[in-house]
Amino acid sequence: MDDARRLARALSDPSRRTFFGLTGAALALAFTTNLADPWTSRSKGGDGYPFQLGVASGDPLPDSVILWTRLAVRPLEPLGGMPYGRIKVDWEIAEDRAFTRRAKHGSAWATPEYGHSVHVDVRGLRPGREYFYRFRTGGEISPVGRTKTAPAAGSSPEHLLMAFASCASWQDGFYTAYRHLADENADVVFHLGDYIYEYGIVPTGGNRNTPVPDQFRVQCDTLDRYRVQYGLYKSDPDLQAAHHSAPWIVTWDDHEVLDNWAGPNGAGGEVSPEDFLVIRANAFRAYWENLPMRLSQPASGPDVRIHRRFTFGDLAEFNVLDTRQYRDDQVCGDGQQYDCAERLDPARTMLGAEQEKWLLDGLGASRARWNVLAQQIAMCQLDYDPAPAQRLSMDLWDGYKAAKDRVINGMVERKVSNPVVLTGDIHYNLAGELKTDFDNPSSPTVGVEFVGTSISSGGNGNATTGLPAGGTDPVNPHIRFSSYQRGYVSCDITKARWQADFKVVPYIDKIGAPVSTRGSLVALDGVPGLHAL
């Protein structure tokens, strides 16, 4: 058996496809006792099983949610080993796990043009309700996923449990943090970028010590190459468990395309502008094919709008941003720089004029208690030099100071209620206070930022470094917590407070790591700032 089939078989072993303690075959038998019902078909499992990439849901609205799957019998092939033709896929969604109270059902076509992915926008659901869903094709039944619609517009929910994560390099280690995230039973999960990494993968599979076939040696650039990268990543059972547990709302950062890309520019002039736009189009298409996103049309070409807004009654409104597609190029050679005057240019943009206006207009019109920016890169100023001179990253909001000031001051001018920024990217946990002037510690605090560490990128991390919750960083006094381990952030949101629990695992170079809470911080309604528990 060649390496590709061996890895696919290992990753798709039915014993690893359990959900709520049942295998695919047992789930099929548990659905109903009516043997005439085609949903009772047994799954054959093994290499012929078409749901080896699992199922997912996303972009929840009060009456709708996106259901996703992608057919693949051999995930490490560009079309997943599926025939080149369209395949009918049935779906159903119910109010109970046994599917005795079916809410909606229908069929869709999985076509080779879209990598045999399926995106079903299920309408007419009840707001604020938990649902369960599954797919069927050719007598095979998918795992069961749990999802949840958003509360009704104009409602006043008392509580929202959400989690967010980012940065999951497959070869850096195991996705144990995703497995623990699945156990949160969240209302919604946000993924803030670097869902995959475009890098080639070493023959041994890096820290996983799982050999991968030769096609993974080269960096992603073609659509087929991106597709097999997603096939490898999404074969992971812990990632699948996290998708099965809750609806996801996603946005990309750089590694879904090319490290540190900016607008029409690939990083460091590695490829020509014309070639980069082709790469970007391939990356965007593969991203949409593999995630439960609601787009007005399938991703096609190098321009895809993904900034969008989600409202959870009057409790919280989330503005999901794209900080890559419209930004100006990094200045002063990118990286961390001293005294880069170009970063202060008032004409520089991070979001582009249209998205920036959309954001500020939406924030100004919001009536939510908590107003959230779900985005990719640190907004709090981060000085990387303990000496008086400042060393700032040109890739973060610090490299686009005027754009950052427009957003922060725009929230102040519009009297936005309780601004919260959620961030990924930098592979360590931070909690900070948003300032109108980060160089003046006594300047007003206008909101808070929670930066989540990586799921796996960067390896095991370091449990001995960091700032205890509620401490003060002497170089960046607006930072109140930090840690350098892997994990995710769980947030318990009520009308009175926003509690962020930074969940970490002690290692990722082997499976089975336990999870613990490294720090918990609270923001109070109407009182800008952070408080440690």
Side-chain angles (χ1 to χ4, degrees):
M1 184 182 296
D2 61 26
D3 287 342
R5 291 178 62 82
R6 184 179 295 109
L7 178 60
R9 179 182 287 276
L11 294 178
S12 62
D13 185 330
S15 69
R16 306 185 77 190
R17 290 202 309 271
T18 57
F19 185 68
F20 299 120
L22 296 173
T23 67
L27 277 169
L29 292 175
F31 293 150
T32 176
T33 58
N34 180 4
L35 297 182
D37 188 335
W39 288 95
T40 62
S41 301
R42 281 183 176 269
S43 165
K44 293 187 291 292
D47 285 349
Y49 185 66
F51 297 107
Q52 295 190 32
L53 303 181
V55 300
S57 68
D59 283 9
L61 302 177
D63 67 341
S64 175
V65 69
I66 299 292
L67 304 184
W68 172 95
T69 193
R70 178 181 160 212
L71 304 183
V73 294
R74 293 188 294 277
L76 305 190
E77 296 181 9
L79 284 181
M82 304 301 295
Y84 195 87
R86 66 178 191 165
I87 300 170
K88 186 180 178 183
V89 180
D90 300 317
W91 59 269
E92 66 174 345
I93 187 168
E95 294 184 352
D96 67 314
R97 192 175 300 152
F99 289 84
T100 61
R101 300 194 306 275
R102 188 162 69 173
K104 300 285 179 179
H105 65 97
S107 299
W109 292 102
T111 66
E113 291 82 4
Y114 302 133
H116 290 105
S117 63
V118 175
H119 297 75
V120 180
D121 193 351
V122 183
R123 300 279 178 172
L125 300 176
R126 299 168 66 181
R129 294 294 299 243
E130 183 181 65
Y131 288 94
F132 300 88
Y133 63 94
R134 59 184 176 176
F135 297 87
R136 181 191 63 195
T137 191
E140 302 278 17
I141 300 174
S142 75
V144 173
R146 170 189 175 268
T147 193
K148 193 171 184 180
T149 52
S155 66
S156 189
E158 296 290 332
H159 176 259
L160 177 68
L161 179 62
M162 57 83 65
F164 68 93
S166 64
C167 303
S169 172
W170 185 89
Q171 65 182 332
D172 281 4
F174 292 96
Y175 288 166
T176 314
Y178 276 144
R179 175 67 63 173
H180 292 298
L181 187 154
D183 294 335
E184 296 283 340
N185 207 41
D187 296 317
V188 63
V189 172
F190 285 79
H191 198 283
L192 303 180
D194 295 347
Y195 185 92
I196 68 163
Y197 280 65
E198 83 284 18
Y199 299 144
I201 299 175
V202 298
T204 59
N207 285 337
R208 290 189 179 225
N209 197 28
T210 302
V212 295
D214 289 343
Q215 69 261 35
F216 288 94
R217 303 292 177 268
V218 298
Q219 183 167 294
C220 295
D221 51 6
T222 67
L223 179 56
D224 281 350
R225 179 67 184 87
Y226 279 109
R227 280 173 171 168
V228 298
Q229 197 86 337
Y230 279 100
L232 176 66
Y233 276 59
K234 294 184 74 69
S235 296
D236 185 273
D238 295 336
L239 173 57
Q240 290 186 21
H243 273 300
H244 296 173
S245 72
W248 282 37
I249 297 172
V250 302
T251 186
W252 54 50
D253 193 17
D254 55 339
H255 287 291
E256 290 89 351
V257 181
L258 187 66
D259 184 26
N260 275 21
W261 69 280
N265 305 291
E270 296 174 9
V271 295
S272 71
E274 295 80 10
D275 287 345
F276 176 67
L277 290 181
V278 174
I279 292 172
R280 197 171 90 170
N282 292 332
F284 287 1
R285 175 66 156 268
Y287 185 82
W288 170 78
E289 286 179 354
N290 285 279
L291 287 164
M293 300 175 67
R294 179 183 289 104
L295 298 182
S296 59
Q297 60 185 13
S300 178
D303 303 296
V304 178
R305 172 176 168 160
I306 65 165
H307 58 276
R308 56 211 194 279
R309 184 172 290 122
F310 297 89
T311 303
F312 291 74
D314 66 359
L315 181 59
E317 186 165 270
F318 294 83
N319 301 274
V320 181
L321 303 185
D322 179 351
T323 62
R324 287 290 166 188
Q325 189 172 178
Y326 311 105
R327 67 156 73 186
D328 289 321
D329 203 0
Q330 296 93 343
V331 291
C332 297
D334 203 354
Q336 296 174 7
Q337 303 292 340
Y338 294 95
D339 301 322
C340 178
E342 294 174 68
R343 76 181 187 91
L344 307 176
D345 183 347
R348 283 175 57 71
T349 183
M350 173 67 79
L351 302 176
E354 185 275 333
Q355 184 181 192
E356 187 176 295
K357 182 179 186 301
W358 168 86
L359 172 62
L360 292 175
D361 287 350
L363 288 169
S366 173
R367 297 296 175 264
R369 186 72 56 98
W370 301 94
N371 288 279
V372 188
L373 278 59
Q375 54 97 60
Q376 298 82 351
I377 53 173
M379 185 169 283
C380 279
Q381 181 170 289
L382 297 179
D383 182 0
Y384 289 91
D385 192 336
Q390 288 184 334
R391 188 173 81 241
L392 305 174
S393 171
M394 298 300 101
D395 188 55
L396 306 184
W397 281 92
D398 285 336
Y400 301 76
K401 186 177 185 302
K404 175 166 66 173
D405 290 345
R406 288 194 298 271
V407 171
I408 292 178
N409 291 331
M411 292 191 292
V412 174
E413 293 162 2
R414 289 163 178 76
K415 298 181 172 58
V416 175
S417 173
N418 299 321
V420 177
V421 177
L422 307 180
T423 301
D425 181 62
I426 55 178
H427 305 174
Y428 53 90
N429 287 315
L430 290 176
E433 297 176 336
L434 296 173
K435 296 281 188 177
T436 54
D437 181 0
F438 286 100
D439 292 324
N440 178 6
S442 63
S443 68
T445 296
V446 300
V448 299
E449 180 175 20
F450 300 113
V451 180
T453 187
S454 63
I455 290 290
S456 61
S457 304
N460 285 336
N462 188 331
T464 64
T465 49
L467 180 71
T472 300
D473 186 324
V475 180
N476 301 285
H478 45 277
I479 300 299
R480 308 304 306 279
F481 166 74
S482 66
S483 82
Y484 295 81
Q485 294 171 279
R486 308 284 76 89
Y488 61 94
V489 185
S490 177
C491 297
D492 194 337
I493 307 163
T494 68
K495 294 180 178 179
R497 70 179 199 167
W498 179 304
Q499 179 174 327
D501 296 324
F502 290 83
K503 303 294 185 72
V504 299
V505 293
Y507 51 83
I508 60 164
D509 58 353
K510 54 184 181 292
I511 61 174
V515 68
S516 63
T517 300
R518 180 66 184 262
S520 296
L521 294 102
V522 168
L524 301 176
D525 175 36
V527 186
L530 290 171
H531 310 271
L533 289 182

